[in-house]
Amino acid sequence: MERLTFPFLFLVLSILSPSDGGSIGVNYGRIANNLPSAVKVVQLLKSQNINRVKLYDSDPAVLKSLAGSGIRVTVDLPNQLLPSAAKTPSFALQWVRQNVAAYHPSTQIESIAVGNEVFVDPSNTTRFLVPAMKNIHQALVKFHLHSTIKVSSPIALSALQSSYPSSAGSFRPELIEPVFKPMLDFLRQTGSYLMVNAYPFFAYESNANDIPLDYALFRENPGVVDAGNGLRYFNLFDAQIDAVFAAMSALKYDDLEMVVTETGWPSKGDENEVGASLDNAAAYNGNLVRRILTGGGTPLRPKADLTVYLFALFNENKKNGPTSERNYGLFYPSEEKVYDVPFTVEELKGYRDKRKSSSSPVAGGGRLSTPVSGNVSPSVAGQTWCVASGEAGKAKLQPALDFACGEGGADCHPIQPGSTCYDPNTLEAHASYAFNSYYQKKGRAIGTCYFGGTAYVVSQPPKYGTCDFPTGY
């Protein structure tokens, strides 16, 4: 995990599309002296219906405990072993024999992370990365495991030269020829994917005056249009991920997939660690799980359902650095939850983001504007409305309007010819009324003001002509 500052300025927040989604896993770090046994940890994972876990080593006790559990496992070849794995194929073969082949398939190892954030490793192991990956893969071939176990390496977002706006995403020039092109070629040839560690918390912490907290926590807001590609972003996570996709696309690797191997938010921090709190951690991880499990991809890759690993399973009391480093856990070492977070679609049905009440839709950090077309009435505390984005264009707005008035069940009678809200007779005005009807009927739940990215939530009642927008049914 690497701290990184991003110049995401004046950005604003996320709404979800209800559809089939991705997958949630968890990172099982063990830099602590008070954690439960591996056997108990596996029981905990199963009790929480967590079916993917990523390790930072290949500890025999952990791998044995995971045998027969049905939990998919990612093991790690530590950075310090990269030189040996790169220089000596026999070392890579022996490592795979002892740490992978000896346990698979009883322990469902699905991938090997070769190193972790190698580009920021103070031991300067970057030049060994791709050769090590290739030797590990060749070892898998010899054990006939290469078709079921993928090889990749998690990168930190500091591997990007540019990340804002997302459309300008690009890799650091000095890494492109010696590392990224051969690594991405390898991933393509072996049917693997790029592993990425992404932490919106670091960007928010460093730019809290410019980034609204709600944008970082997947809460509702108007969003912001990327001037480079015309796409509207509703959360910082999507913006970071699409910056990496854009960097891959710039090198002509649009066909490669991505797995987010780390993301999380600390429940406690030092006084200068802005945003580190239990409430914010609960909101980030809970809303992230909903975002991933309900699917929809990112604005740049709308069909790319993601596998995301939350960081981390436990608070780890022996980690160095600021207080936050020891407080990313979803669970205390006692196995008690630090806060409530859903892990399955079923649990999402009863999940609510328990945000603290505020007279403003943005609780902390950056200002949130309400760019509503037409006249705007005085703010009504505690109420929100859903309106169409005039920038979405007819090609996107018309199908969304048709859905709202048809399958969506919105009350569209007032926008029929001769009715009270027919005027002004514009697509934006009619779509806004229909979207808001749907949104209000659904109880203003997160995810019900999306419509393919053509709608957003406002905190002031919109007025188109003399039409009043309802606030409930």
Side-chain angles (χ1 to χ4, degrees):
M1 179 202 326
E2 188 198 2
R3 291 172 171 267
L4 187 64
T5 299
F6 294 96
F8 287 97
L9 302 179
F10 309 107
L11 302 179
V12 251
L13 158 156
S14 172
I15 304 140
L16 315 174
S17 173
S19 63
D20 293 335
S23 175
I24 292 292
V26 67
N27 285 275
Y28 175 21
R30 295 181 293 112
I31 306 177
N33 61 6
N34 57 354
L35 299 183
S37 68
V39 172
K40 288 186 176 181
V41 169
V42 173
Q43 292 172 348
L44 175 64
L45 293 171
K46 293 177 69 175
S47 73
Q48 300 297 318
N49 296 305
I50 299 172
N51 58 16
R52 274 193 163 94
V53 65
K54 178 175 164 288
L55 311 177
Y56 289 92
D57 54 21
S58 53
D59 184 84
V62 175
L63 293 177
K64 288 177 182 177
S65 297
L66 285 162
S69 66
I71 297 171
R72 300 179 186 182
V73 183
T74 296
V75 297
D76 182 80
L77 174 78
N79 288 356
Q80 61 266 29
L81 298 183
L82 288 177
S84 297
K87 295 176 181 177
T88 313
S90 61
F91 176 90
L93 183 67
Q94 182 64 12
W95 188 90
V96 169
R97 175 184 288 111
Q98 292 181 345
N99 299 282
V100 179
Y103 302 99
H104 186 84
S106 181
T107 299
Q108 290 185 237
I109 299 173
E110 65 174 346
S111 60
I112 300 171
V114 177
N116 186 57
E117 298 186 351
V118 174
F119 307 143
V120 294
D121 182 1
S123 299
N124 192 24
T125 53
T126 296
R127 68 186 185 278
F128 301 114
L129 176 58
V130 176
M133 294 172 70
K134 290 181 176 179
N135 283 343
I136 291 294
H137 175 74
Q138 285 304 311
L140 289 174
V141 171
K142 292 184 178 180
F143 287 106
H144 305 289
L145 296 175
H146 59 289
S147 61
T148 55
I149 300 176
K150 301 304 179 184
V151 175
S152 189
S153 183
I155 66 168
L157 290 187
S158 59
L160 297 182
Q161 173 75 10
S162 174
S163 59
Y164 179 80
S166 297
S167 59
S170 60
F171 293 118
R172 283 161 44 191
E174 72 274 16
L175 293 174
I176 291 176
E177 293 297 334
V179 185
F180 270 109
K181 282 189 175 180
M183 182 172 72
L184 295 174
D185 276 336
F186 167 82
L187 296 178
R188 175 183 282 164
Q189 293 163 7
T190 60
S192 189
Y193 40 77
L194 183 64
M195 294 177 169
V196 176
N197 297 344
Y199 285 88
F201 167 70
F202 296 152
Y204 173 75
E205 177 195 23
S206 302
N207 299 277
N209 289 330
D210 298 316
I211 300 175
L213 180 60
D214 281 0
Y215 180 78
L217 298 181
F218 298 91
R219 286 172 174 159
E220 293 180 351
N221 82 331
V224 64
V225 174
D226 184 322
N229 57 23
L231 298 174
R232 184 178 291 271
Y233 283 86
F234 295 102
N235 67 77
L236 185 50
F237 176 85
D238 278 358
Q240 291 183 338
I241 297 306
D242 270 0
V244 182
F245 275 135
M248 294 164 65
S249 180
L251 298 182
K252 309 302 181 185
Y253 292 93
D254 302 83
D255 54 312
L256 290 184
E257 297 181 357
M258 183 193 305
V259 167
V260 180
T261 36
E262 285 186 25
T263 190
W265 196 286
S267 60
K268 185 187 297 185
D270 295 323
E271 187 175 346
N272 64 339
E273 294 189 282
V274 180
S277 73
L278 190 146
D279 289 334
N280 290 345
Y284 178 80
N285 282 312
N287 290 332
L288 169 66
V289 170
R290 173 161 40 204
R291 155 76 180 81
I292 296 303
L293 294 186
T294 54
T298 64
L300 190 60
R301 298 277 188 94
K303 296 182 180 180
D305 290 331
L306 294 170
T307 293
V308 173
Y309 289 82
L310 304 180
F311 186 87
L313 186 57
F314 295 109
N315 284 340
E316 299 171 65
N317 66 351
K318 289 297 183 179
K319 294 199 73 172
N320 296 323
T323 297
S324 64
E325 290 294 316
R326 293 174 289 283
N327 289 278
Y328 274 87
L330 304 170
F331 294 86
Y332 295 109
S334 65
E335 301 182 43
E336 177 187 359
K337 279 189 175 182
V338 177
Y339 45 81
D340 184 47
V341 59
F343 296 112
T344 65
V345 173
E346 187 65 28
E347 291 174 0
L348 282 176
K349 295 177 182 177
Y351 172 74
R352 294 292 181 273
D353 177 357
K354 299 176 182 177
R355 68 177 296 166
K356 290 185 175 180
S357 61
S358 170
S359 59
S360 167
V362 175
R367 294 181 174 273
L368 176 62
S369 61
T370 54
V372 185
S373 299
N375 298 321
V376 179
S377 300
S379 178
V380 181
Q383 296 181 351
T384 54
W385 293 260
C386 180
V387 297
S389 168
E391 299 173 356
K394 182 178 180 180
K396 292 183 178 180
L397 274 180
Q398 189 62 58
L401 172 60
D402 293 342
F403 165 82
C405 292
E407 183 182 345
D411 178 13
C412 295
H413 292 96
I415 56 176
Q416 300 304 309
S419 296
T420 55
C421 292
Y422 179 72
D423 291 319
N425 180 20
T426 66
L427 180 58
E428 181 183 344
H430 288 182
S432 292
Y433 189 91
F435 292 173
N436 183 66
S437 173
Y438 178 89
Y439 176 67
Q440 301 297 338
K441 283 189 172 185
K442 296 295 183 180
R444 300 189 293 275
I446 289 180
T448 59
C449 183
Y450 182 75
F451 297 99
T454 65
Y456 57 90
V457 173
V458 295
S459 59
Q460 296 172 317
K463 293 275 288 185
Y464 291 86
T466 60
C467 180
D468 290 323
F469 279 46
T471 58
Y473 287 88

